[in-house]
């Protein structure tokens, strides 16, 4: 009695070969569709994750900034400064999406410290100094490169060129370029906006305060680029203030 069946016809059976080839084509086409659907689903998850984190950053920002548009401006200004400094366009674009989350860790700083006018006590300063680490912890849980960059920015945007910043006291090129760029544009943009404890500085005043910090708080090469292209940066800042893109569009375009 026959124990195994050989269903495969002889090689010479062309109709079988044609059917097998057609079936293989269908399988490959189905896999292609499945692959596209999987990629679309992954993109949607990443966008939703990005939007949720942007909203968290906005929630942190709205506590001491009425409009929240500062964080959007920081993204665009950081991208522009990165390009002026010869960074790759892809990196600059990622920085536009990552930089708005730089202060998300302020969600962990109480109002009595965050909104305090005047100078901080030593204890209050220590509380405020925790926000880079809190931000990096919130953002750094993802393996997606954009969020890793955002965590790097959150962690390093208060380091200073002269090594006296926080939380790690890194100096010069040991500070990631992402954090050095965001530190410069954050300083300039924050000075030129009204805060709950002071009025906005005029652009000229803010630019000379920035120049004073070249080589102290900030990378001199970056300060030089912002100062020598100040008109362009100010126009960009004003454009974003007048027509800020929505958070949804920011998350989708990443
Ligand atoms: Fe900060
Ligand atoms: Fe900021």
């Amino acid at each position: 009695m026959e124990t195994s069946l050989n269903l495969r016809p002889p090689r010479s059976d062309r109709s079988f070969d044609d059917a097998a080839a057609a079936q293989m084509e269908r399988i490959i086409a189905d896999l292609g569709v499945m692959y596209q659907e999987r990629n679309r689903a992954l993109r949607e998850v990443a966008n939703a994750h990005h939007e949720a984190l942007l909203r968290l950053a906005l929630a942190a920002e709205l506590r001491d900034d009425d409009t929240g548009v500062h964080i959007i401006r920081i993204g665009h200004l950081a991208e522009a400064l990165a390009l002026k400094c010869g960074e790759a366009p892809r990196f600059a674009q990622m920085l536009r999406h990552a930089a708005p989350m730089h202060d998300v860790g302020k969600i962990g700083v109480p109002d009595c410290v965050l909104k305090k006018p005047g100078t901080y006590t030593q204890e209050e300063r220590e509380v405020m100094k925790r926000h880079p680490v809190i931000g990096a912890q919130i953002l750094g849980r993802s393996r997606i490169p954009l969020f890793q960059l955002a965590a790097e920015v959150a962690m390093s945007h208060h380091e200073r060129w002269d090594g006296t910043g926080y939380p790690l006291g890194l100096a010069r090129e040991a500070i990631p370029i992402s954090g050095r760029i965001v530190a410069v544009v954050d300083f300039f943009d924050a000075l030129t906006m009204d805060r709950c404890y002071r009025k906005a500085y005029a652009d000229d005043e803010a630019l000379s305060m920035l120049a004073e910090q070249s080589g102290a708080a900030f990378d001199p090469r970056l300060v030089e680029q912002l100062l020598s292209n100040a008109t362009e940066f100010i126009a960009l800042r004003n454009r974003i203030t007048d027509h800020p893109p929505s958070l949804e569009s920011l998350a989708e375009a990443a």
Side-chain angles (χ1 to χ4, degrees), residues 85-141:
C85 294
E87 295 295 327
R90 178 69 191 133
F91 171 80
Q93 188 201 14
M94 266 174 74
L95 199 54
R96 165 156 52 94
H97 296 286
M101 297 178 266
H102 68 285
D103 265 343
V104 67
K106 280 189 182 170
I107 208 89
V109 177
D111 272 0
C112 59
V113 175
L114 194 64
K115 296 182 176 183
K116 185 183 173 183
T119 48
Y120 287 148
T121 63
Q122 184 59 31
E123 199 183 328
E124 288 164 343
R125 191 168 296 115
E126 291 310 315
V127 171
M128 190 65 183
K129 280 182 172 181
R130 280 190 221 137
H131 80 271
V133 175
I134 298 171
Q137 283 170 345
I138 291 171
L139 297 163
R141 295 184 191 279

